Amino acid sequence: MALPTTLTLEIVTPDRALAREEVDEVVVPGSEGELGILPGHTPLLATLKVGELWYRQGRETHHLSVAFGFVEVLPDRVTILAHVAERAQDIDIERAERARRRAEERLEKPSAQTDLDFERARIAMMKALIRLQVASRARTRV
Amino acid sequence: MPSLIDLRRRIRAVKSTQQITKAMKMIAASRLRRAQERVISARPFAQRMRQVLNGLVSRVEQDAHPLLRIPVPGVGRPLLIVITADRGLCGSFNSNVIKAGGQFIANEGQGRAIALGLVGRKGRDFFRRRGFDVRYERVGLFQHLSFADAAEIADVAIEEFTSGNASSVHLVFNEFKSVMTQRIVVEPLLPIPRIEEKAPVAGPAVDYLYEPSPEGIFKDLLPRHVQVQVYRALLESNAAFFAAQMTAMDAATRNSAEMLESLTLYMNKVRQAAITREIIEVVSGAAAT
């Protein structure tokens, strides 16, 4: 069996199907570390963390922010089931900035804090940071 | 014979009702469009999720997770989550769901009571008035339907099931088939139904690499799967509601047009009769002198 030369990348969230494209390379934020996937990858099922996902078509790269979910890899296709996913150019920077500040405040204020609150704030912080980072890629790429 | 004034008043009333139903139809149509888009864009996720799950279930121990556990008969009672709308004026939309729910209770109940989870005001009012054991209720979530709402409902269902309170969880809701048709579905939610694959996937099942362990992924995937199923049910119901409302309001508008026509005809007859009578009176009065 010849190795496939491209991957069919599908990104879906509960709200919509975000992408369905032929790509050459995908890098996803797995919960145990970044995963670089090229065509012909061995079947893999992994969970995602909050992070940056990018894929390459020829010389063009696209960036997305994703948060939680799963990735299924087969030799010729990659399916991302993300809880949240956004393309870099769709990210609302102001909103992300606000979310970052809110999370920062919550993290700094130690009063009446349960572990759960802290964990939530930490995740919110991470999401905001990643979104900002991904958004900045969209701008520098031009 | 009703007087002319009464008829005029009646016509005016029907006309203003018609205006309202017409406006409601238009609003329902525009909301339907958005709701429909959401259902359609949510379907691929639910579908993919099921495929991934399918692939996984065959590779993991059957009792690997409490959400797959087949309950011991006689322990706990079935939980039925009834999804209705918050508002009426939508034909038989709500009553169909309620009827299907009642049927389920009659069939499954058989001596033991059934616990209910109620989403939507119409269903809540109906079942609460009749003194059912209501474990969960939620109204007013269709205005801003979000995944978080679905997750909340799913978590309640999971909690009830894993704690042994519920022996199974079913959903009953209107599925959005097309604008003209809604289909009532009673869907098992928990324990997660084993999905039989029609034909084994070509070749021997490939062994996946898992990151983290299969159990770890399972622990994440199953509750998420339940949430997605609930979310889809809510979206379907929402779209079906607007479709039903649009159809109902369209029919109402047409009926009132018909009614206006016959009322106007009748009014003209009455008026003509009155005029004729007056003429006769005048003429016979003149003849008498």
Side-chain angles (χ1 to χ4, degrees), chain B residues 57-165:
Chain B
V57 164
S58 52
R59 290 184 194 90
V60 182
E61 286 284 310
Q62 299 296 297
D63 301 327
H65 196 278
L67 293 184
L68 289 170
R69 174 181 53 94
I70 310 275
V72 195
V75 178
R77 41 169 118 169
L79 173 69
L80 179 69
I81 297 180
V82 185
I83 302 176
T84 54
D86 286 330
R87 284 172 302 154
L89 292 178
C90 48
S92 54
F93 179 88
N94 289 316
S95 52
N96 279 348
V97 176
I98 289 171
K99 218 187 295 164
Q103 216 159 48
F104 181 89
I105 292 171
N107 288 344
E108 290 289 308
Q110 284 168 357
R112 55 204 174 133
I114 282 197
L116 292 175
L118 303 172
V119 182
R121 180 168 289 121
K122 289 287 168 189
R124 184 200 60 171
D125 292 351
F126 180 90
F127 285 107
R128 209 161 59 167
R129 260 203 306 276
R130 282 159 184 76
F132 281 95
D133 173 15
V134 177
R135 287 291 161 77
Y136 176 81
E137 57 178 60
R138 184 76 200 275
V139 296
L141 91 172
F142 286 108
Q143 269 141 23
H144 304 281
L145 191 55
S146 75
F147 191 79
D149 297 319
E152 190 194 308
I153 296 168
D155 291 345
V156 171
I158 290 171
E159 170 61 33
E160 288 280 316
F161 184 72
T162 48
S163 69
N165 273 340

Side-chain angles (χ1 to χ4, degrees), chain A residues 10 12-17 31-33 35 42-47 68-70 72-74 77 79 81-83, chain B residues 38 41-42 44-45 48-49 51-52 56 147 206-212 216-217 220-221 224 227-228 231 235:
Chain A
E10 237 181 299
V12 287
T13 69
D15 289 321
R16 63 207 161 121
S31 57
E32 322 251 290
L35 296 163
T42 190
L44 167 88
L45 194 65
T47 50
F68 306 111
F70 312 90
E72 187 192 28
V73 180
L74 292 172
R77 63 163 61 243
T79 310
L81 299 165
H83 194 181
Chain B
R38 286 185 74 180
S41 53
F45 189 86
R48 287 333 237 103
M49 195 83 171
Q51 278 169 7
V52 172
L56 206 56
F147 191 79
V206 261
D207 234 344
Y208 280 76
L209 293 178
Y210 294 102
E211 219 189 277
I217 292 182
D220 242 15
L221 189 72
R224 186 52 58 79
Q227 291 174 353
V228 167
Y231 186 56
L235 287 177

Side-chain angles (χ1 to χ4, degrees), chain A residues 30-65:
Chain A
S31 57
E32 322 251 290
E34 298 260 306
L35 296 163
I37 298 154
L38 291 169
H41 197 286
T42 190
L44 167 88
L45 194 65
T47 50
L48 300 175
K49 60 173 184 182
V50 181
E52 179 183 358
L53 177 151
W54 62 266
Y55 61 91
R56 187 170 60 80
Q57 289 176 304
R59 326 193 85 192
E60 220 180 307
T61 60
H62 300 262
H63 295 259
L64 291 95
S65 75

Side-chain angles (χ1 to χ4, degrees), chain A residues 26-129:
Chain A
V26 192
V27 174
V28 299
S31 57
E32 322 251 290
E34 298 260 306
L35 296 163
I37 298 154
L38 291 169
H41 197 286
T42 190
L44 167 88
L45 194 65
T47 50
L48 300 175
K49 60 173 184 182
V50 181
E52 179 183 358
L53 177 151
W54 62 266
Y55 61 91
R56 187 170 60 80
Q57 289 176 304
R59 326 193 85 192
E60 220 180 307
T61 60
H62 300 262
H63 295 259
L64 291 95
S65 75
V66 297
F68 306 111
F70 312 90
V71 54
E72 187 192 28
V73 180
L74 292 172
D76 59 346
R77 63 163 61 243
V78 176
T79 310
I80 312 257
L81 299 165
H83 194 181
V84 187
E86 259 177 318
R87 287 182 175 282
Q89 58 269 31
D90 295 339
I91 291 176
D92 183 342
I93 295 174
E94 267 169 46
R95 217 181 69 134
E97 187 65 48
R98 273 204 306 279
R100 185 183 69 83
R101 269 202 299 274
R102 242 194 343 260
E104 218 166 45
E105 278 164 28
R106 242 178 279 160
L107 283 176
E108 273 164 12
K109 155 176 86 182
S111 59
Q113 229 174 34
T114 61
D115 283 351
L116 191 67
D117 280 345
F118 190 80
E119 187 60 20
R120 274 208 197 120
R122 199 177 65 80
I123 289 172
M125 180 78 167
M126 241 156 51
K127 276 190 189 164
L129 285 178

